[in-house]
Amino acid sequence: MSPTLRGALLSLAAFGIYATHDVVVKTLGHHYSSFQIIFFSGLLSFPFVTVLLMSDKRDVNLVPRHPWLSLLRSVLAVVTGGLGFYAFSVLPMAQCYAMLFATPLLITLLSIPFLGEKVGVRRALAVIVGLIGVLIVLRPGSVPFSWGHLSGLGAALSGALASVIVRKIGKNERSIVLMMYPMLMSVGVMALTMPFVYRPMPFEHLALTGVISVFGMCGAALVIAAYRAAPAVVVAPMQYSQIIWAALYGWLFFDETIDGWTAVGSAVIILSGIYIVLREGTPSVSQNRPVLENRSRLDTGTIPRISLWLRRFGPKEG
């Protein structure tokens, strides 16, 4: 098997696991606040992450070199996690994915003021077309616009901004700082909400929060293996396979169907996103490659960013 094919298959498996992760989030979201789900899943992720961090002692201390941007990125991770988990709790999975697929489009836009990225006419048109796809999915004025839709769009925006900040400070900031601060803030902030939102959890539901943590880690490990095997331009577009899992899981577990407008809008968003990835893969087009270098899903703070794991543990460049 060629390395490129192996990387593609590994990434497809990873995003299948991520989609299963989101099914568990949606299932628990019918019973509990997204704050409670994030708190317990984040808390149960700490043993895995601690072992990883203890295995590498290259970082000297936990003092950030860019304190304000590190703080802002941590806050954004908390916001992204809360909004993203809530959106999955209340929206059909396909609609939720369609809005989150807009993240690369927003990263492209935000990279202009934050990274000094020069976006040519072709990528600019791809962003515009992708945003039109978002409007097709939402159909403002034709269907009720809910808090779930607002949360999905907010998660895409805050996740994109967090990704751009990591891209801006990542070369100078220690990876342990970029990994640990969002996790600590996420668990800490969610802990403060527990007196107001906590509902007793039977053992099987508590175990499902552990499943969220395990699936998140397994998905991340497979994506890392995929990026080590194949170029980023091969691996990155595979995230869009989640829409297939969304259709299957939504039908199997939640009696959901994808309406025609959501399918059309999703296709437009996916095609524009793939085009941006391919354009960034051309060295003469993009200096910073902000979308290709964003190797994580939503930066929720519950698990470390994949791009930081890759940098920390000696990845193969994609």
Side-chain angles (χ1 to χ4, degrees):
M1 182 184 298
S2 70
T4 299
L5 178 58
R6 184 168 66 253
L9 293 176
L10 285 169
S11 57
L12 285 173
F15 289 112
I17 289 175
Y18 276 138
T20 311
H21 165 288
D22 297 333
V23 169
V24 181
V25 170
K26 186 174 181 65
T27 300
L28 290 177
H30 290 160
H31 305 281
Y32 308 100
S33 162
S34 58
F35 298 145
Q36 184 169 340
I37 300 170
I38 293 172
F39 172 72
F40 282 104
S41 61
L43 195 64
L44 293 172
S45 295
F46 265 105
F48 301 103
V49 178
T50 301
V51 170
L52 286 171
L53 294 178
M54 288 177 64
S55 66
D56 190 319
K57 304 182 184 302
R58 286 176 291 177
D59 288 331
V60 179
N61 58 54
L62 290 172
V63 179
R65 294 169 180 163
H66 303 274
W68 294 112
L69 286 176
S70 295
L71 176 63
L72 176 58
R73 182 259 172 148
S74 299
V75 171
L76 287 168
V78 174
V79 171
T80 303
L83 293 178
F85 275 51
Y86 177 74
F88 272 111
S89 300
V90 300
L91 291 179
M93 291 188 69
Q95 276 195 21
C96 196
Y97 277 127
M99 287 183 286
L100 298 180
F101 285 163
T103 301
L105 312 177
L106 298 173
I107 290 174
T108 302
L109 287 176
L110 292 170
S111 68
I112 300 173
F114 280 92
L115 301 177
E117 179 81 356
K118 297 184 185 302
V119 175
V121 174
R122 294 180 183 179
R123 275 196 292 167
L125 287 175
V127 170
I128 293 171
V129 170
L131 295 178
I132 291 173
V134 174
L135 292 177
I136 293 174
V137 171
L138 296 177
R139 304 190 298 285
S142 300
V143 295
F145 189 77
S146 68
W147 284 108
H149 295 102
L150 187 62
S151 296
L153 292 174
L157 177 59
S158 57
L161 184 54
S163 296
V164 171
I165 289 175
V166 171
R167 186 66 183 145
K168 185 176 181 65
I169 68 176
K171 292 182 179 179
N172 301 318
E173 194 61 83
R174 288 176 292 275
S175 55
I176 192 170
V177 170
L178 293 170
M179 285 181 175
M180 289 300 295
Y181 274 70
M183 292 191 69
L184 291 171
M185 179 171 286
S186 180
V187 173
V189 170
M190 299 308 160
L192 294 177
T193 69
M194 286 302 98
F196 307 100
V197 303
Y198 177 77
R199 293 183 60 189
M201 305 179 78
F203 175 77
E204 57 268 25
H205 286 181
L206 185 61
L208 284 177
T209 63
V211 169
I212 292 173
S213 301
V214 171
F215 279 8
M217 291 292 176
C218 289
L222 285 174
V223 172
I224 290 170
Y227 274 110
R228 285 175 171 165
V233 291
V234 172
V235 177
M238 296 303 167
Q239 66 176 307
Y240 297 118
S241 65
Q242 290 176 111
I243 198 71
I244 300 174
W245 290 106
L248 177 62
Y249 283 150
W251 173 68
L252 281 176
F253 299 115
F254 307 112
D255 196 28
E256 297 173 356
T257 57
I258 299 182
D259 63 83
W261 289 111
T262 299
V264 171
S266 299
V268 171
I269 297 168
I270 290 170
L271 289 174
S272 62
I274 291 175
Y275 181 80
I276 288 173
V277 166
L278 295 177
R279 289 293 290 172
E280 282 196 7
T282 305
S284 61
V285 171
S286 178
Q287 180 180 356
N288 294 296
R289 304 203 316 166
V291 174
L292 280 176
E293 293 300 326
N294 173 46
R295 291 172 169 137
S296 295
R297 293 210 312 163
L298 289 180
D299 192 6
T300 63
T302 53
I303 57 174
R305 288 179 59 88
I306 292 165
S307 54
L308 300 175
W309 285 17
L310 282 163
R311 190 181 77 185
R312 188 175 183 84
F313 298 110
K316 173 184 175 181
E317 284 297 325

